[in-house]
Amino acid sequence: MRAEGAVAGEFILDIQAMTKRFGGVTAVNNCSIRVPRNIVAGLIGPNGSGKTTLFNLLTGLLRSDGGDYFYKGEPMVGLTPHEIFNRGISRTFQIIRVFREMTALENLVAVSRDGDLGGVRRRALELLDFVTLLRLKDEYAGNLSYGQQKLLEFVRALMSDPEVLLLDEPAAGVNRTLLNTLLDRIRQLRGQGKSILIVEHDMKVVMNHCEKIFVLDYGELIAEGLPEEIQRNEQVIEAYFGHK
Amino acid sequence: MSKRALEAPAAPAPASLAEELPAGKAALQLAAIALSLFSFVLWPGLVNVYQISFVFFGLQYVVLASSWNIISGFTGYVSFGHVAFFGIGSYTTAILVAKHGWPWYLTLPLAGLLAVVWAAFIGFPCLRLKGPYFAISMMGLNEVLRVVALSWESLTGGGLGITMPNAENSVSTYYAGLAVAALTVAMCYAIAHSRFGLRLAAIREDETAAEAMGVPTTRYKMYAFMLSAFWPGVIGGIVAYKLLYIEPDSTFFIAITVNMITMAMLGGKGTVLGPVIGAAILYTAQELVWWYIPWLHLIAYGAFIILIVLFVPRGIMGYLIDRGWVAKGVIQ
Amino acid sequence: MAERTPGWVYAVYLALALAGAGLPLALAWEGFVGWLAQARSMTSLAVTLQVLASGILQGGLYAVIAMGLTMIFGVMRIINVAHGEFLMVGAYMAFVFFMMLLPEELHSLFTSNLGMAILGVGVFLLICLPLMFLFGMGVQRLLLNPVVGGPELTPLLITFGLSLILINTFISVFSSDFRAIPYMSGALVVGNLALGYPQVISVAVSAAVTGGVFGFLKFSRLGKAVRATAQNADVAMVCGVNVERIYLYTFGFGTALAATGGVLISIQLAFSPEIGGIYILRSFAIIILGGRGNYLGALAGGILLGVIEGFISFFVSQGSQLQELAAYTLLVFMLLVRPQGLLGGIADE
């Protein structure tokens, strides 16, 4: 049970009873999730269980029909997406949304915070170098391969040095080598004190790399815990495979 | 790979976003700009009044096409009624000069400012419309202005228009037009080479993603729209004074909107140089056809628009980029 | 997208837009009431009815034109700026048919005999509409097919270029003088109402064509495919609809509807190659009023606009400009308040 007097700041994200309805369908239903600081957490669930909707609520792209959420103890509901981003929550998208007719470099610089352009450029180049895209910095993002676009989106989300990173299916469609690079990077970010929430269908990735896992089904949180606990959880198995 | 990428850069970085040009190339560019400006400055001393006017109206289209390019080329919101700002500027200057005896050059800041005010006023609700709806709303609002100018006879003279007192103006308006064209292009250059410009392009490419990545889209669209309205207002004032007569139908004329769009497309929208090149080529071509085969003029123009859109939708700059002669991206 | 606008700002804009649309109406109402106070007799009711009826007749014509436009906008998401010129082409086809191809002795047939007049228009439409249908298909095939689904600017410019070509070609051939064809004059008298024959015939044809369009969309296999494509082209394609062919037919139908409007205009008004512009923006207002791809909405919007304009032009001096102002502010107002239209159009994404 939630301790009402929990120290603000113990949890980086404190989602309280959030709800989102589309017409008659309740995509996220009274969902409460508390993400501790400095963690790699997984958010899993069958297709249509409301994971992406939850991300859209957290980043302000959708307006919730109820509930509240706090980032570092501050209420975030009602802020515009760019305000939420500027507080330090960044994301990637399930369906790639790079800026296609801008170069890879421009993609990164466009989303940087205000400040010295030279420094921004240097940081962008380093990030591109890290995901092995440096030689493609002046190529249109739309001309990159699927996996490359995915990586570009990943580093674009890092450009502003966010505290919380929401990754929507980062592994899908990325080849093994690139995936390992990506996971390395996620571990590094964790080492620097960031909090990362990953929506992912690749269970190997989730079980091996997440310290804590939240399971959604029909928009409700049905389980949370360590990977091994989740693997044994009857309700989760039922949600994924139906009744025995 | 190191952690360094996530830390503040240690070494001093280049000040500009674009890569530093080799000194020789930069000097060459500077020289080209200076030379072309110089020849434009000399022009009125070398030629007759008709030829001064010819270049003046070309400059007018450089201003209009470049300004349209800010909201529609960079930001991706197709303004199909952009001549409205030109018209507002024209009427501001004409009314102040003819009825209140202002010196024409003092009216210009006000002409631009009123265009910006109107942009802010209509941009607020209209910029939330997407795609064709925005285009139609711009077209409709331009018609509203035209009809208002037709009906509000006490202010605008209605269909009879406004006649300003005669004046020797071809050289003065030429230099004013040249200055405004240079400033407009300089402004576009500054926008394209700033993070502001990149963020506008991000809005064009994917507004939702831009917003989610920290771009205050509503505010930025508004800024872009207001910036794209200012110089058309000013040049509208200059053109009104040059013609010394305006009336609603030829001022709020949809064909002027189409001209600026076609010019920007021909040169390459979303680039700084594109609208300038497009305006120069298309305007010259139009005048030539008009001069030699007037009856064919508009038919040929219609066909030309279709051909450009179908076969070189990304314009001359797009072609050069594809050939690798010009760098890709917002910044060239 | 989460847009958060303070309510009062929105209210201010609404009030201003309403004032823009309402001013001409208020003037019309003032004129109407003033006139009513003067007249104070049975004739006032009759005249009111007369204005109303004329408005409806005019609106029926608008509806046919707008229906073609909303069909194209609904199915292909293309703003066809050349729609007014397709209409003009229809009017000139009637001109060529009645004035050039028919021997002069036959003209009296259409000016004196009501039955022949109706028959004449009917027969002519049977010749004209298939031709315009083919013309529309040709335009779609050659010019628009490569750009459907692309950015909205492209078809906008292509159709604008096409309208420039059409207007100026027709000016070269027919000059920019106004033309008219000799047609049935006189009026049908019903009680106190006098309705001009051309207008009555026009509205009857409009009704028939509108009914035909509704029936076609509702019941025929092709019509259902058209509606499915308007809802979602990708899904329709997956379900076995040949979407490219549907686009072809749609543009053909839309063009034919515009031409129908043109023919109906030719029997009641004088026309020149430049009349398209009068109708195109009104049609935009109507289809936004009715909602994208909503045919019933186009019908209702057309009649509404016809009646509004009728009242303004009858009761306000300087009415023609105010008519336009009313149409355009109505357009902008609808876009701001209810871009999906009064009756709701096909949702965008």
Side-chain angles (χ1 to χ4, degrees):
Chain A
M1 282 293 98
R2 177 189 312 151
E4 280 305 329
V7 191
E10 185 185 340
F11 297 102
I12 190 111
L13 287 181
D14 185 353
I15 303 162
Q16 296 180 356
M18 280 190 103
T19 298
K20 179 69 194 175
R21 282 181 285 269
F22 296 110
V25 182
T26 307
V28 171
N29 191 5
N30 206 21
C31 187
S32 297
I33 291 178
R34 294 204 284 181
V35 183
R37 259 177 199 281
N38 197 8
I39 196 174
V40 178
L43 181 62
I44 63 171
N47 284 327
S49 58
K51 306 178 296 279
T52 297
T53 306
L54 187 64
F55 270 20
N56 287 341
L57 288 173
L58 294 183
T59 48
L61 288 180
L62 290 174
R63 238 195 276 211
S64 71
D65 294 321
D68 232 334
Y69 97 92
F70 299 87
Y71 163 68
K72 295 204 279 194
E74 281 177 63
M76 302 293 276
V77 167
L79 296 185
T80 59
H82 72 264
E83 285 167 340
I84 292 175
F85 177 89
N86 287 331
R87 302 275 172 105
I89 301 179
S90 187
R91 72 173 293 176
T92 65
F93 294 90
Q94 184 184 2
I95 298 160
I96 292 178
R97 304 189 85 146
V98 293
F99 307 127
R100 299 179 61 86
E101 260 192 59
M102 293 165 70
T103 64
L105 180 60
E106 287 173 347
N107 261 267
L108 299 194
V109 175
V111 306
S112 62
R113 291 190 182 166
D114 295 324
D116 163 48
L117 255 184
V120 163
R121 185 166 188 275
R122 172 175 292 268
R123 177 180 170 76
L125 290 175
E126 279 173 345
L127 282 170
L128 284 175
D129 188 29
F130 176 70
V131 287
T132 65
L133 290 177
L134 189 56
R135 73 194 161 81
L136 294 169
K137 71 182 165 63
D138 292 323
E139 185 53 73
Y140 283 131
N143 291 350
L144 303 180
S145 75
Y146 183 87
Q148 289 167 336
Q149 291 188 19
K150 204 107 191 172
L151 290 174
L152 180 62
E153 220 190 46
F154 176 67
V155 285
R156 187 177 70 180
L158 295 181
M159 223 11 229
S160 61
D161 200 12
E163 293 230 10
V164 173
L165 198 54
L166 307 176
L167 303 177
D168 204 342
E169 302 202 15
V174 178
N175 72 41
R176 277 292 133 188
T177 331
L178 288 181
L179 181 59
N180 286 333
T181 324
L182 200 106
L183 292 169
D184 266 357
R185 179 52 147 210
I186 291 174
R187 264 197 300 277
Q188 259 182 35
L189 290 168
R190 156 89 169 77
Q192 289 160 12
K194 314 283 179 196
S195 315
I196 299 121
L197 188 57
I198 305 177
V199 164
E200 188 48 70
H201 280 296
D202 186 334
M203 282 305 142
K204 226 188 259 169
V205 169
V206 177
M207 294 303 164
N208 291 338
H209 295 86
C210 294
E211 299 151 74
K212 183 161 190 183
I213 292 172
F214 301 92
V215 189
L216 287 185
D217 191 28
Y218 291 109
E220 289 179 56
L221 182 69
I222 57 166
E224 61 180 291
L226 302 173
E228 45 274 26
E229 291 169 357
I230 296 297
Q231 275 168 319
R232 287 194 304 267
N233 187 308
E234 288 291 323
Q235 236 185 324
V236 174
I237 294 165
E238 199 175 285
Y240 268 91
F241 302 108
H243 293 273
K244 281 183 196 157
Chain B
M1 216 34 236
S2 68
K3 275 169 63 178
R4 222 186 44 175
L6 290 170
E7 290 153 5
S16 125
L17 179 60
E19 262 176 88
E20 291 291 322
L21 287 172
K25 211 173 157 193
L28 209 66
Q29 271 190 3
L30 218 63
I33 292 171
L35 194 70
S36 57
L37 265 181
F38 189 61
S39 51
F40 273 111
V41 169
L42 284 187
W43 182 254
L46 306 173
V47 297
N48 63 29
V49 171
Y50 170 77
Q51 286 157 328
I52 295 175
S53 294
F54 173 81
V55 174
F56 170 80
F57 286 109
L59 291 170
Q60 166 206 323
Y61 275 115
V62 169
V63 174
L64 292 178
S66 296
S67 299
W68 177 86
N69 189 39
I70 295 170
I71 184 67
S72 304
F74 287 126
T75 322
Y77 275 71
V78 174
S79 171
F80 212 69
H82 219 65
V83 69
F85 304 119
F86 173 86
I88 288 172
S90 295
Y91 267 94
T92 307
T93 295
I95 290 167
L96 289 176
V97 168
K99 302 199 169 169
H100 303 278
W102 285 38
W104 67 281
Y105 44 87
L106 285 186
T107 66
L108 299 181
L110 202 61
L113 219 61
L114 278 180
V116 171
V117 169
W118 178 247
F121 179 71
I122 64 172
F124 180 77
C126 290
L127 282 168
R128 66 190 61 209
L129 297 170
K130 296 275 179 308
Y133 293 98
F134 179 77
I136 296 182
S137 72
M138 289 297 109
M139 194 162 33
L141 281 165
N142 180 53
E143 293 302 311
V144 168
L145 287 184
R146 184 179 63 80
V147 177
V148 167
L150 269 174
S151 326
W152 194 347
E153 284 174 6
S154 58
L155 183 71
T156 64
L160 290 176
I162 301 175
T163 309
M164 281 156 268
N166 221 345
E168 176 47 57
N169 58 13
S170 71
V171 174
S172 56
T173 51
Y174 173 88
Y175 282 118
L178 179 61
V180 169
L183 287 170
T184 310
V185 176
M187 184 176 91
C188 289
Y189 181 88
I191 290 174
H193 285 74
S194 68
R195 233 171 316 190
F196 176 64
L198 287 181
R199 287 173 179 164
L200 294 185
I203 292 174
R204 173 190 71 203
E205 294 301 314
D206 189 332
E207 193 170 336
T208 307
E211 173 76 34
M213 288 291 127
V215 178
T217 51
T218 310
R219 217 168 66 223
Y220 272 43
K221 285 188 291 185
M222 200 70 168
Y223 293 159
F225 197 45
M226 286 158 71
L227 286 175
S228 79
F230 182 75
W231 296 115
V234 175
I235 197 76
I238 300 174
V239 169
Y241 178 69
K242 166 150 186 95
L243 299 174
L244 294 173
Y245 169 74
I246 59 168
E247 55 90 30
D249 285 343
S250 59
T251 305
F252 295 99
F253 191 21
I254 188 170
I256 301 179
T257 300
V258 173
N259 273 343
M260 39 182 138
I261 299 177
T262 315
M263 286 164 176
M265 289 209 50
L266 171 65
K269 62 181 159 58
T271 66
V272 177
L273 269 185
V276 180
I277 299 172
I281 294 178
L282 190 55
Y283 172 71
T284 313
Q286 274 180 324
E287 291 295 302
L288 287 177
V289 178
W290 174 239
W291 190 253
Y292 290 108
I293 10 178
W295 65 272
L296 191 65
H297 168 233
L298 287 169
I299 299 177
Y301 184 39
F304 185 69
I305 294 175
I306 293 176
L307 291 178
I308 293 177
V309 171
L310 281 181
F311 297 110
V312 268
R314 295 180 56 236
I316 294 169
M317 290 300 280
Y319 178 80
L320 295 180
I321 290 170
D322 291 344
R323 298 296 295 268
W325 294 346
V326 174
K328 292 187 171 96
V330 180
I331 302 162
Q332 267 107 25
Chain C
M1 175 68 53
E3 294 262 9
R4 289 162 183 92
T5 312
W8 66 269
V9 179
Y10 206 52
V12 167
Y13 275 90
L14 271 188
L16 283 169
L18 263 179
L23 177 74
L25 280 183
L27 286 174
W29 181 250
E30 198 187 345
F32 176 59
V33 171
W35 169 84
L36 208 63
Q38 276 178 1
R40 285 227 174 274
S41 67
M42 272 311 285
T43 50
S44 63
L45 181 67
V47 174
T48 310
L49 280 179
Q50 177 74 49
V51 174
L52 189 68
S54 312
I56 292 174
L57 294 184
Q58 179 70 20
L61 178 64
Y62 285 164
V64 170
I65 302 166
M67 215 171 274
L69 195 63
T70 207
M71 186 183 251
I72 293 170
F73 190 32
V75 174
M76 302 164 67
R77 280 147 224 244
I78 278 179
I79 306 174
N80 176 20
V81 188
H83 204 68
E85 278 63 50
F86 293 167
L87 171 153
M88 177 272 290
V89 173
Y92 273 90
M93 282 177 88
F95 178 73
V96 170
F97 180 76
F98 284 102
M99 298 301 286
M100 297 181 166
L101 299 182
L102 282 188
E104 209 159 331
E105 307 81 71
L106 290 179
H107 284 175
S108 61
L109 271 182
F110 304 109
T111 52
S112 55
N113 185 320
L114 183 61
M116 278 306 290
I118 297 174
L119 192 68
V121 170
V123 169
F124 174 67
L125 281 174
L126 285 183
I127 303 169
C128 165
L129 295 192
L131 286 176
M132 286 306 284
F133 185 80
L134 288 177
F135 174 71
M137 294 215 297
V139 169
Q140 155 65 17
R141 178 106 221 159
L142 290 174
L143 302 182
L144 293 171
N145 206 35
V147 302
V148 176
E152 69 273 9
L153 181 59
T154 324
L156 210 60
L157 285 179
I158 290 181
T159 51
F160 188 89
L162 185 63
S163 78
L164 272 185
I165 295 176
L166 287 173
I167 293 173
N168 292 289
T169 309
F170 275 69
I171 288 180
S172 310
V173 177
F174 294 98
S175 88
S176 52
D177 297 342
F178 274 85
R179 308 284 179 156
I181 52 181
Y183 197 72
M184 197 74 201
S185 52
L188 179 69
V189 180
V190 187
N192 287 327
L193 291 181
L195 306 170
Y197 280 126
Q199 281 76 16
V200 173
I201 293 172
S202 156
V203 91
V205 173
S206 300
V209 171
T210 309
V213 170
F214 277 124
F216 160 75
L217 289 167
K218 187 99 191 156
F219 301 114
S220 79
R221 214 180 141 72
L222 184 59
K224 285 177 186 165
V226 168
R227 283 191 297 154
T229 311
Q231 289 295 341
N232 190 326
D234 292 333
V235 173
M237 197 183 304
V238 173
C239 295
V241 174
N242 183 341
V243 168
E244 224 169 88
R245 176 163 299 169
I246 295 299
Y247 287 159
L248 214 54
Y249 292 148
T250 303
F251 211 83
F253 281 127
T255 310
L257 282 169
T260 310
V263 173
L264 297 179
I265 286 167
S266 76
I267 62 172
Q268 40 186 317
L269 294 168
F271 48 90
S272 80
E274 288 160 305
I275 53 158
I278 303 173
Y279 293 93
I280 186 70
L281 272 158
R282 282 184 171 80
S283 303
F284 283 140
I286 293 166
I287 69 171
I288 297 295
L289 203 61
R292 182 169 77 87
N294 186 326
Y295 303 95
L296 210 59
L299 184 63
I303 290 175
L304 187 64
L305 190 64
V307 171
I308 289 175
E309 290 193 353
F311 272 91
I312 292 173
S313 72
F314 189 81
F315 292 109
V316 190
S317 59
Q318 223 198 27
S320 72
Q321 282 154 25
L322 284 175
Q323 270 181 35
E324 285 186 79
L325 188 61
Y328 305 148
T329 15
L330 204 61
L331 163 72
V332 176
F333 174 70
M334 281 307 292
L335 278 171
L336 299 188
V337 183
R338 224 180 124 75
Q340 70 272 39
L342 276 182
L343 303 178
I346 299 164
D348 282 294
E349 289 178 49

